[in-house]
Amino acid sequence: MLCFLPVVLRKIIWKDQFVEKLEQKHGVSVAEVEETLGAKPHIRKVGKGRVRDENVYAAFGQTTGGRYLVVFYIRKVSGAVLPISARDMDDAERKYYDRQK
């Protein structure tokens, strides 16, 4: 499944295994991840990927419903993003996000 986003993040690649984890473990919907990524999140590199030039990033943002999420994804060489996890921000992440605005 693909989703196209404005500006920097144009395409999302969804894999069933990650969608299930988002919903079952963290209670985050695909729509909430898409809203967060599409709303100009603050993005930070958090790790080196297993594939050359495909690193892991965290996107700190807010859904249209006001939920504060951090979305972890792999930025593919093609420019597409592959979300691998998402959850509510903890207190420290929320403070970090608020300082970035």
Side-chain angles (χ1 to χ4, degrees):
M1 173 181 7
L2 296 177
C3 174
F4 294 91
L5 296 172
V7 194
V8 179
L9 302 174
R10 295 190 183 135
K11 185 169 43 171
I12 298 176
I13 301 167
W14 289 107
K15 295 214 173 184
D16 291 339
Q17 69 201 51
F18 298 125
V19 170
E20 289 174 20
K21 178 183 170 188
L22 290 173
E23 294 172 349
Q24 293 175 2
K25 185 174 180 182
H26 300 293
V28 178
S29 71
V30 167
E32 288 176 309
V33 170
E34 291 175 355
E35 289 171 8
T36 302
L37 292 175
K40 298 182 182 175
H42 176 73
I43 298 173
R44 184 173 76 185
K45 182 179 173 182
V46 295
K48 194 172 183 181
R50 293 180 185 171
V51 176
R52 185 178 178 179
D53 297 326
E54 292 189 353
N55 296 312
V56 181
Y57 295 87
F60 297 83
Q62 198 171 2
T63 67
T64 56
R67 190 173 180 187
Y68 289 86
L69 296 178
V70 58
V71 177
F72 297 93
Y73 66 89
I74 297 170
R75 177 82 182 220
K76 306 298 277 178
V77 174
S78 67
V81 297
L82 171 62
I84 55 176
S85 188
R87 58 173 171 72
D88 291 300
M89 289 184 205
D90 63 27
D91 290 339
E93 291 165 337
R94 175 74 184 271
K95 287 177 187 174
Y96 170 80
Y97 174 72
D98 287 338
R99 286 193 310 267
Q100 304 308 312
K101 291 182 185 179

